[in-house]
Amino acid sequence: MPIHNKLVRDRIPEIIESAGKKFSTRILNEEEYITELKKKSFEELQEYMEAANHSDAIEELADLLEIMHALAECHGSSIEEVERVRQEKAVKRGGFKEKIFLIQVED
């Protein structure tokens, strides 16, 4: 039986069971949960970086967004609050729409 030792989406055990397979799981405490969400964010970001086309990229961005929702909740907030902070930063510092690439700054 392969060992995965990773955070999975809530319905994965149900999907595994419906395929007639056996599995084991456990529920993480809050500290473990945040740690595993952070690990999962790197995994999903890597998958985004390796996406071969726009459709695959959107799938991976959706996974990253799901993790952001969960992390915001872990920090006692919401994705709406994260969006509010994002908008404030965009007003103060701008976004990335103009594709500006900084080469150097003279001291």
Side-chain angles (χ1 to χ4, degrees), residues 15-57:
I15 293 166
I16 294 169
E17 188 173 52
S18 71
K21 297 180 181 179
K22 300 217 181 279
F23 61 93
S24 62
T25 63
R26 71 179 183 88
I27 304 301
L28 302 172
N29 66 37
E30 278 303 304
E31 187 178 315
E32 292 171 318
Y33 180 49
I34 291 171
T35 297
E36 293 303 318
L37 280 169
K38 289 177 180 180
K39 286 182 190 176
K40 193 74 171 174
S41 71
F42 282 111
E43 176 187 325
E44 298 301 343
L45 181 58
Q46 185 63 42
E47 290 174 6
Y48 168 74
M49 297 292 290
E50 295 168 0
N53 55 56
H54 292 303
S55 178
D56 291 347

Side-chain angles (χ1 to χ4, degrees), residues 3-9 28 36 40 43-44 47:
I3 296 174
H4 294 279
N5 285 331
K6 68 178 189 175
L7 181 66
V8 295
R9 288 177 173 266
L28 302 172
E36 293 303 318
K40 193 74 171 174
E43 176 187 325
E44 298 301 343
E47 290 174 6

Side-chain angles (χ1 to χ4, degrees), residues 65 68-73 75 77-89:
L65 187 56
M68 289 181 64
H69 278 259
L71 283 167
E73 191 174 308
H75 294 294
S77 191
S78 65
I79 200 67
E80 293 78 16
E81 177 67 10
V82 172
E83 175 60 16
R84 185 191 63 72
V85 171
R86 185 203 65 78
Q87 288 175 355
E88 283 179 4
K89 290 181 85 170

